[in-house]
Amino acid sequence: MEAACIMASGTARKRLEFLRTRKDGFLSFQTSKYKLHYYETPTGIRIIMNTDLGVPNARDILHQIYSTLYVEYIVKNPLCVLGDQLSSDLFSTRLDLYIRALPFFSPRAA
Amino acid sequence: MSRQSNRTTDSKKMNSELFTLTYGALVTQLCKDYENDEEVNKQLDKMGYNIGVRLIEDFLARSSVGRCQDFRETADVIAKVAFKMYLGITPSVTNWSPAGDEFSLILESNPLVDFVELPDNHSSLVYSNLLCGVLRGALEMVQMAVDVKFAQDSLRGDNVTEIRMKFIKRIEENLPAGDE
């Protein structure tokens, strides 16, 4: 919820635009309570993951989510309309499995 | 990382003859379904566009290409990475306009036309027009509006096949109202 507020506020938005023009773009930020990881493709797909503070740079993980889950199960599924809400159960299941298998995933937090 | 991790990096091999023949069957069917060549060209472009808007995601997932700095870089990526990845050929990039907003891709060979000979009654058919749509659709998704057309086609007696691409404008992202 807190993250959503920050994303929508004007100054953060401008800063985001600015940071995006650099090579890797905006990667993450953290507060005292959580860390937000961000990944954006040149097509404008944005993947955001909130974690606790101990999680290291998750760029590769978010890229994996894009290339092995989003592209495979959403883009290559002709029944999924791009730009609509992602309603594919297959995608959700795979994403869930993937996240649960991450080394820093801890079931008690879920 | 589970077994999924390497999946998209292996490029799946496919029989190129099957691909060529399938494309031929598609064009033949369109020629039967539509009255004239112009309409077939339009349909091919439209199909290509729909392929392009999805294919770009696959391309970005497989290659490690990021956002291009200028149109020249875009041209290089299209010729050396994209065409290589999906058609197995590397067209040359030439005939830049002085302003740097227009160039040609010269295809020495075009896998789509391996077994094709145009009958006389289809003189205005742009057989490989699907490719134009693919390029247009893919670039539109990375905020580039381009105009793509065949300038020369070896099927119609030219020495080479030439795709002419013209940069029109950068598409600004539409932010939701009140978000700026």
Side-chain angles (χ1 to χ4, degrees):
Chain A
M1 204 52 219
E2 208 177 333
C5 298
I6 293 169
M7 296 291 288
S9 83
T11 45
R13 192 58 151 97
K14 280 212 182 75
R15 207 165 70 221
L16 244 142
E17 293 291 320
F18 163 72
L19 287 161
R20 247 177 56 198
T21 56
R22 299 204 321 215
K23 193 163 181 298
D24 282 342
F26 166 60
L27 297 178
S28 67
F29 71 79
Q30 63 183 65
T31 69
S32 58
K33 297 258 190 269
Y34 72 94
K35 191 167 176 181
L36 180 146
H37 305 266
Y38 181 88
Y39 177 80
E40 178 169 349
T41 70
T43 46
I45 302 294
R46 293 159 192 164
I47 303 175
I48 292 165
M49 178 169 74
N50 284 337
T51 64
D52 62 35
L53 296 174
V55 174
N57 185 339
R59 189 179 167 76
D60 288 347
I61 291 165
L62 297 186
H63 177 74
Q64 283 287 320
I65 291 176
Y66 171 68
S67 61
T68 63
L69 298 169
Y70 178 77
V71 171
E72 292 297 313
Y73 297 113
I74 302 291
V75 176
K76 293 188 185 174
N77 179 352
L79 296 177
C80 292
V81 180
L82 299 184
D84 270 13
Q85 194 174 346
L86 306 181
S87 56
S88 160
D89 285 341
L90 183 60
F91 173 73
S92 312
T93 319
R94 296 293 173 141
L95 180 63
D96 194 57
L97 282 175
Y98 180 77
I99 298 286
R100 282 172 190 277
L102 292 174
F104 48 75
F105 181 83
S106 117
R108 85 191 138 75
Chain B
M1 312 283 150
S2 58
R3 68 199 156 78
Q4 288 170 352
S5 53
N6 287 324
R7 256 186 49 192
T8 49
T9 46
D10 344 311
S11 58
K12 292 173 195 104
K13 291 271 178 262
M14 175 181 164
N15 184 311
S16 72
E17 289 188 6
L18 176 66
F19 173 65
T20 306
L21 292 171
T22 307
Y23 185 73
L26 171 81
V27 179
T28 310
Q29 188 62 45
L30 284 175
C31 287
K32 282 183 192 149
D33 290 351
Y34 291 93
E35 300 278 309
N36 58 55
D37 291 350
E38 291 305 321
E39 196 55 37
V40 176
N41 295 343
K42 211 185 284 173
Q43 289 300 322
L44 284 172
D45 182 81
K46 201 159 128 192
M47 285 177 171
Y49 176 85
N50 290 331
I51 294 173
V53 297
R54 289 187 185 239
L55 195 69
I56 182 72
E57 304 284 2
D58 182 67
F59 175 74
L60 293 170
R62 285 206 220 181
S63 64
S64 51
V65 175
R67 200 176 282 274
C68 291
Q69 294 306 314
D70 55 28
F71 202 43
R72 283 180 186 271
E73 192 183 343
T74 309
D76 268 358
V77 170
I78 290 171
K80 299 200 178 98
V81 190
F83 267 85
K84 181 101 196 109
M85 188 184 287
Y86 294 112
L87 288 177
I89 52 172
T90 311
S92 48
V93 179
T94 52
N95 296 345
W96 277 97
S97 65
D101 65 343
E102 224 179 304
F103 65 90
S104 294
L105 291 165
I106 306 286
L107 285 72
E108 303 272 319
S109 69
N110 175 1
L112 292 179
V113 303
D114 277 350
F115 314 115
V116 182
E117 210 172 291
L118 281 189
D120 293 336
N121 58 341
H122 285 293
S123 53
S124 54
L125 177 69
V126 186
Y127 185 83
S128 309
N129 212 29
L130 187 102
L131 293 182
C132 295
V134 173
L135 287 164
R136 188 166 61 85
L139 288 178
E140 188 175 302
M141 296 307 282
V142 288
Q143 295 91 45
M144 258 182 267
V146 289
D147 183 58
V148 191
K149 57 178 185 291
F150 274 87
Q152 294 187 72
D153 193 340
S154 56
L155 268 191
R156 293 196 280 177
D158 298 315
N159 287 330
V160 288
T161 299
E162 174 183 356
I163 300 176
R164 190 78 180 151
M165 295 191 55
K166 181 178 169 46
F167 178 83
I168 300 171
K169 64 170 184 175
R170 188 159 277 282
I171 301 162
E172 299 294 331
E173 222 174 320
N174 288 325
L175 297 175
D179 205 22
E180 194 57 55

